Amino acid sequence: MRRTWGFLAVGLLFLATACSVEIVIPIRSQTTPTSSYKAPTPTTPIPASPATVTDACPFIAVGELAQILGTSAEIQAREQPADVEGTEKRYSCIYEDIHQSIDDAPRLHITVAPEIGADSIAAVDNTAKAFCREPITAVGGVGDKTVHCEHGTDFTRAYIVVGKLSEGQVRLAFVDLRKSRADVYEAIAKLLAERL
């Protein structure tokens, strides 16, 4: 089990750094931010806790992300090739503003570890330790464990990590986006926890 979570940390580090060339959407807020978030109907619906995870983009629809971020940018979701390591699978989605450089775009990574004895809480803790700098903020009542934090070295980026045991699998959602407000992080985390 330790080896699997070590692979997860290394894989997420690789995705967060090496793949940062293929990143998306500078976030330009063109609407007044609100502290109360109401989830819109997904443009690409996904059932809550699907039996099989095959990609990342359906976990957050483009319209939902734009509303949460408070942007009117033209965003498109681009699924990346899946990464399979043993029984562990990682899926990634880039949310790209079609009029901007992709360097600042939000990225969503979904990792599925069907190992018996895997622990979703440990997965969140290990991922946060690997990528975050203090303070790491817990979000209560969302998934088995959810945290958000600032990037370890890039002070313009933030991470959201959601872990959940679902369909007999540990499912971990990892979001990398431009730094924003706590209510934005929590709204994204709640959507992901419902769908993981």
Side-chain angles (χ1 to χ4, degrees):
M1 180 171 79
R2 285 185 178 171
R3 191 174 126 222
T4 298
W5 293 117
F7 285 132
L8 169 65
V10 170
L12 286 174
L13 180 60
F14 173 76
L15 289 170
T17 57
C19 295
S20 64
V21 175
E22 291 197 39
I23 303 168
V24 197
I25 145 182
I27 300 162
R28 297 170 291 149
S29 180
Q30 296 182 3
T31 60
T32 306
T34 61
S35 59
S36 61
Y37 165 74
K38 184 178 176 187
T41 304
T43 55
T44 310
I46 187 170
S49 301
T52 305
V53 175
T54 58
D55 45 21
C57 289
F59 280 86
I60 301 179
V62 169
E64 291 174 312
L65 184 62
Q67 182 178 349
I68 293 169
L69 297 176
T71 183
S72 60
E74 290 183 62
I75 301 172
Q76 66 181 7
R78 288 192 302 130
E79 190 72 31
Q80 303 301 295
D83 182 18
V84 179
E85 192 170 307
T87 57
E88 191 171 283
K89 298 177 183 172
R90 286 184 286 284
Y91 305 93
S92 299
C93 184
I94 297 175
Y95 295 89
E96 177 181 11
D97 178 340
I98 63 172
H99 300 293
Q100 298 291 324
S101 163
I102 64 170
D103 291 342
D104 288 335
R107 289 156 285 177
L108 167 63
H109 308 287
I110 304 287
T111 300
V112 179
E115 249 182 43
I116 293 173
D119 182 349
S120 58
I121 294 171
V124 171
D125 289 340
N126 292 339
T127 303
K129 285 177 190 171
F131 297 103
C132 296
R133 66 184 166 95
E134 296 290 341
I136 297 170
T137 305
V139 180
V142 179
D144 295 340
K145 182 161 188 179
T146 299
V147 299
H148 63 82
C149 58
E150 291 184 3
H151 187 286
T153 56
D154 182 347
F155 298 105
T156 68
R157 306 293 292 177
Y159 294 134
I160 304 162
V161 188
V162 182
K164 184 177 176 182
L165 182 61
S166 182
E167 300 290 331
Q169 303 170 323
V170 169
R171 296 179 178 178
L172 184 76
F174 180 84
V175 181
D176 174 358
L177 73 165
R178 186 165 272 298
K179 213 158 61 165
S180 189
R181 305 177 317 270
D183 64 305
V184 168
Y185 307 146
E186 290 169 15
I188 291 171
K190 285 176 186 173
L191 265 183
L192 289 168
E194 288 167 8
R195 295 174 183 173
L196 282 175

